[in-house]
Amino acid sequence: MNQSPLEMYMFPCLSDNYGFLIHDIDNKLTATIDTPEVSAIEQALDFKGWNLTHIINTHHHYDHAGGNLELKNKTNCQIIGPEMDQERIPGIDKKIGHEEVFYFGIHKVICYHTPGHTTGHVVYYFQDQKIAFVGDTLFAMGCGRLFEGTPEQMWNSLNIISNWPEETQLYCAHEYTKNNAEFAITIDPVNKNLIDRIKEVEEKRINDIPTVPTNVAIEKLTNPFLRASESEIKQELNMIGHSDESVFAEIRRRKDSF
Ligand code: ZN
Ligand code: FE
């Protein structure tokens, strides 16, 4: 297939957010995924020599859409965001809904509505690159707090992600991995894959290396929130016979007070 390359640049923002720029080289398009911190985004654009043309928002929280208007005023970029949350996404131009497709240059992007963290949260799947920006829906070995949605909604949202191809790279919006790992082992203490992954994560964080992106395969093996349907987890929690959703809800409840 004749594909113009898509370049990506990831950088830290605020205390534990990640910023992401994506750049379509042939068409000279540049998008920021969310707007956590204007100065950090501008610095990244300068560093790469790219001009901002798009903002692609996952949800309305301040550390994701707080820089929208300032960047739009400065660059006249187009803002793409969740239809369901249009009143809460500052400056939104293009509203997209569940399973709706749009093109960034010639790159096909599929939007999925993933309520749970917020009611309007969406994630973006770049089909040809097999990369996805999952905002605060999924984190490495974790998931977003349920500020607005129900456990059932979040369970369904996470299952959209776990049904993508195993090699899909998942770009989550926060570096929460070390804390998530410490929690995960309390839920899934004999999981060999998890034990191995925790060692890797500790090593990376000691050296200040990001643990993002993660991928679908490793999350299915080690993320306790994706593993709520597994019998080992149900047994560990004394919840054999309970629904997957209720096991997920229990894991989320424990994490909230961890
Ligand atoms: Zn959030
Ligand atoms: Fe966030």
Side-chain angles (χ1 to χ4, degrees):
M1 197 206 272
N2 205 351
Q3 184 68 265
S4 103
L6 192 68
E7 203 186 318
M8 233 209 73
Y9 182 65
M10 176 174 134
F11 50 98
C13 288
L14 305 175
S15 60
D16 51 34
N17 280 74
Y18 285 119
F20 309 101
L21 296 179
I22 52 173
H23 179 69
D24 178 310
I25 296 166
D26 292 351
N27 298 291
K28 299 201 167 17
L29 301 175
T30 306
T32 177
I33 307 298
D34 289 332
T35 55
E37 187 180 11
V38 171
S39 59
I41 294 166
E42 287 178 327
Q43 221 174 67
L45 288 164
D46 276 355
F47 174 70
K48 297 302 287 183
W50 296 342
N51 292 317
L52 192 68
T53 56
H54 294 81
I55 292 170
I56 302 177
N57 282 127
T58 61
H59 65 297
H60 75 281
H61 283 159
Y62 189 75
D63 63 319
H64 297 263
N68 275 21
L69 291 182
E70 189 179 344
L71 285 169
K72 187 177 183 176
N73 286 338
K74 286 176 168 170
T75 65
N76 205 22
C77 63
Q78 188 193 33
I79 301 183
I80 301 169
E83 185 178 25
M84 273 214 44
D85 247 350
Q86 49 182 289
E87 329 71 45
R88 300 197 290 183
I89 303 287
I92 191 168
D93 297 299
K94 183 179 166 66
K95 298 143 196 169
I96 49 169
H98 185 57
E99 293 186 333
E100 204 172 312
V101 168
F102 69 95
Y103 285 84
F104 178 69
I106 58 161
H107 307 285
K108 184 179 181 181
V109 186
I110 311 172
C111 172
Y112 294 91
H113 181 213
T114 57
H117 179 66
T118 66
T119 50
H121 198 298
V122 295
V123 298
Y124 298 96
Y125 179 67
F126 285 65
Q127 192 171 52
D128 296 324
Q129 289 77 17
K130 295 211 176 91
I131 63 173
F133 297 95
V134 296
D136 289 356
T137 293
L138 177 139
F139 298 119
M141 291 177 273
C143 74
R145 252 175 214 273
L146 304 183
F147 286 118
E148 298 176 2
T150 65
E152 291 73 17
Q153 283 178 322
M154 190 56 137
W155 173 247
N156 292 332
S157 295
L158 290 172
N159 277 299
I160 290 174
I161 295 172
S162 63
N163 281 317
W164 290 338
E166 298 252 299
E167 66 272 29
T168 308
Q169 303 279 307
L170 304 174
Y171 288 90
C172 6
H174 291 270
E175 180 62 61
Y176 288 158
T177 313
K178 194 168 176 294
N179 176 270
N180 286 343
E182 285 161 8
F183 172 73
I185 199 71
T186 69
I187 300 295
D188 203 4
V190 297
N191 180 342
K192 174 85 171 64
N193 293 305
L194 178 59
I195 293 163
D196 290 347
R197 189 178 184 191
I198 290 174
K199 282 188 206 127
E200 277 170 41
V201 162
E202 279 170 353
E203 185 124 341
K204 278 190 176 163
R205 294 313 296 150
I206 285 169
N207 296 300
D208 215 24
I209 297 169
T211 62
V212 173
T214 177
N215 64 62
V216 169
I218 188 77
E219 290 308 315
K220 279 160 79 171
L221 289 171
T222 60
N223 188 323
F225 295 99
L226 294 186
R227 289 169 50 73
S229 53
E230 301 290 327
S231 54
E232 305 95 272
I233 300 280
K234 290 188 178 182
Q235 197 157 3
E236 188 65 39
L237 298 179
N238 266 318
M239 293 185 76
I240 299 264
H242 290 244
S243 70
D244 301 346
E245 291 86 344
S246 62
V247 176
F248 170 81
E250 172 63 15
I251 300 171
R252 190 57 255 180
R253 193 189 61 71
R254 291 189 187 202
K255 178 68 167 73
D256 289 343
S257 55
F258 179 70

PDB file of all heavy atoms in Angstrom, residues 38-49:
ATOM      1  N   VAL A  38       0.321  23.649  27.421  1.00  0.00           N
ATOM      2  CA  VAL A  38       0.612  24.415  26.202  1.00  0.00           C
ATOM      3  C   VAL A  38       2.122  24.613  26.001  1.00  0.00           C
ATOM      4  O   VAL A  38       2.645  24.371  24.914  1.00  0.00           O
ATOM      5  CB  VAL A  38      -0.127  25.775  26.224  1.00  0.00           C
ATOM      6  CG1 VAL A  38       0.338  26.660  25.068  1.00  0.00           C
ATOM      7  CG2 VAL A  38      -1.631  25.550  26.136  1.00  0.00           C
ATOM      8  N   SER A  39       2.832  25.030  27.063  1.00  0.00           N
ATOM      9  CA  SER A  39       4.259  25.331  26.877  1.00  0.00           C
ATOM     10  C   SER A  39       5.044  24.088  26.457  1.00  0.00           C
ATOM     11  O   SER A  39       5.918  24.163  25.587  1.00  0.00           O
ATOM     12  CB  SER A  39       4.854  25.942  28.143  1.00  0.00           C
ATOM     13  OG  SER A  39       4.709  25.048  29.230  1.00  0.00           O
ATOM     14  N   ALA A  40       4.726  22.957  27.027  1.00  0.00           N
ATOM     15  CA  ALA A  40       5.433  21.714  26.669  1.00  0.00           C
ATOM     16  C   ALA A  40       5.109  21.308  25.228  1.00  0.00           C
ATOM     17  O   ALA A  40       5.979  20.822  24.497  1.00  0.00           O
ATOM     18  CB  ALA A  40       5.065  20.586  27.633  1.00  0.00           C
ATOM     19  N   ILE A  41       3.873  21.516  24.817  1.00  0.00           N
ATOM     20  CA  ILE A  41       3.474  21.175  23.444  1.00  0.00           C
ATOM     21  C   ILE A  41       4.173  22.107  22.452  1.00  0.00           C
ATOM     22  O   ILE A  41       4.703  21.662  21.428  1.00  0.00           O
ATOM     23  CB  ILE A  41       1.934  21.236  23.285  1.00  0.00           C
ATOM     24  CG1 ILE A  41       1.282  20.134  24.131  1.00  0.00           C
ATOM     25  CG2 ILE A  41       1.519  21.108  21.822  1.00  0.00           C
ATOM     26  CD1 ILE A  41      -0.215  20.281  24.332  1.00  0.00           C
ATOM     27  N   GLU A  42       4.223  23.395  22.784  1.00  0.00           N
ATOM     28  CA  GLU A  42       4.891  24.354  21.890  1.00  0.00           C
ATOM     29  C   GLU A  42       6.384  24.049  21.773  1.00  0.00           C
ATOM     30  O   GLU A  42       6.964  24.142  20.691  1.00  0.00           O
ATOM     31  CB  GLU A  42       4.675  25.780  22.403  1.00  0.00           C
ATOM     32  CG  GLU A  42       3.258  26.249  22.183  1.00  0.00           C
ATOM     33  CD  GLU A  42       2.995  27.641  22.728  1.00  0.00           C
ATOM     34  OE1 GLU A  42       3.598  28.019  23.765  1.00  0.00           O
ATOM     35  OE2 GLU A  42       2.183  28.357  22.129  1.00  0.00           O
ATOM     36  N   GLN A  43       6.967  23.684  22.899  1.00  0.00           N
ATOM     37  CA  GLN A  43       8.392  23.341  22.881  1.00  0.00           C
ATOM     38  C   GLN A  43       8.643  22.118  21.987  1.00  0.00           C
ATOM     39  O   GLN A  43       9.603  22.085  21.216  1.00  0.00           O
ATOM     40  CB  GLN A  43       8.809  23.002  24.311  1.00  0.00           C
ATOM     41  CG  GLN A  43      10.146  23.557  24.710  1.00  0.00           C
ATOM     42  CD  GLN A  43      10.392  23.280  26.184  1.00  0.00           C
ATOM     43  OE1 GLN A  43      10.547  22.116  26.591  1.00  0.00           O
ATOM     44  NE2 GLN A  43      10.413  24.321  26.991  1.00  0.00           N
ATOM     45  N   ALA A  44       7.763  21.139  22.092  1.00  0.00           N
ATOM     46  CA  ALA A  44       7.895  19.924  21.272  1.00  0.00           C
ATOM     47  C   ALA A  44       7.726  20.253  19.795  1.00  0.00           C
ATOM     48  O   ALA A  44       8.460  19.743  18.939  1.00  0.00           O
ATOM     49  CB  ALA A  44       6.867  18.881  21.717  1.00  0.00           C
ATOM     50  N   LEU A  45       6.759  21.124  19.476  1.00  0.00           N
ATOM     51  CA  LEU A  45       6.540  21.527  18.074  1.00  0.00           C
ATOM     52  C   LEU A  45       7.784  22.239  17.524  1.00  0.00           C
ATOM     53  O   LEU A  45       8.229  21.952  16.410  1.00  0.00           O
ATOM     54  CB  LEU A  45       5.321  22.452  17.985  1.00  0.00           C
ATOM     55  CG  LEU A  45       3.953  21.795  18.176  1.00  0.00           C
ATOM     56  CD1 LEU A  45       2.888  22.852  18.464  1.00  0.00           C
ATOM     57  CD2 LEU A  45       3.556  20.973  16.950  1.00  0.00           C
ATOM     58  N   ASP A  46       8.333  23.145  18.337  1.00  0.00           N
ATOM     59  CA  ASP A  46       9.544  23.860  17.928  1.00  0.00           C
ATOM     60  C   ASP A  46      10.689  22.893  17.686  1.00  0.00           C
ATOM     61  O   ASP A  46      11.401  22.977  16.682  1.00  0.00           O
ATOM     62  CB  ASP A  46       9.996  24.825  19.047  1.00  0.00           C
ATOM     63  CG  ASP A  46       9.247  26.136  18.975  1.00  0.00           C
ATOM     64  OD1 ASP A  46       8.464  26.317  18.011  1.00  0.00           O
ATOM     65  OD2 ASP A  46       9.434  26.966  19.888  1.00  0.00           O
ATOM     66  N   PHE A  47      10.856  21.990  18.630  1.00  0.00           N
ATOM     67  CA  PHE A  47      11.945  21.017  18.564  1.00  0.00           C
ATOM     68  C   PHE A  47      11.867  20.205  17.276  1.00  0.00           C
ATOM     69  O   PHE A  47      12.873  19.949  16.619  1.00  0.00           O
ATOM     70  CB  PHE A  47      11.887  20.115  19.801  1.00  0.00           C
ATOM     71  CG  PHE A  47      12.873  18.988  19.782  1.00  0.00           C
ATOM     72  CD1 PHE A  47      14.236  19.243  19.920  1.00  0.00           C
ATOM     73  CD2 PHE A  47      12.452  17.672  19.633  1.00  0.00           C
ATOM     74  CE1 PHE A  47      15.154  18.196  19.894  1.00  0.00           C
ATOM     75  CE2 PHE A  47      13.360  16.622  19.616  1.00  0.00           C
ATOM     76  CZ  PHE A  47      14.716  16.890  19.744  1.00  0.00           C
ATOM     77  N   LYS A  48      10.640  19.803  16.892  1.00  0.00           N
ATOM     78  CA  LYS A  48      10.477  18.983  15.689  1.00  0.00           C
ATOM     79  C   LYS A  48      10.369  19.833  14.425  1.00  0.00           C
ATOM     80  O   LYS A  48      10.429  19.303  13.316  1.00  0.00           O
ATOM     81  CB  LYS A  48       9.226  18.101  15.817  1.00  0.00           C
ATOM     82  CG  LYS A  48       9.259  17.076  16.954  1.00  0.00           C
ATOM     83  CD  LYS A  48      10.427  16.108  16.883  1.00  0.00           C
ATOM     84  CE  LYS A  48      10.258  15.080  15.782  1.00  0.00           C
ATOM     85  NZ  LYS A  48      11.387  14.102  15.797  1.00  0.00           N
ATOM     86  N   GLY A  49      10.136  21.134  14.579  1.00  0.00           N
ATOM     87  CA  GLY A  49       9.940  21.995  13.410  1.00  0.00           C
ATOM     88  C   GLY A  49       8.594  21.753  12.737  1.00  0.00           C
ATOM     89  O   GLY A  49       8.476  21.869  11.509  1.00  0.00           O
TER      90      GLY A  49
END
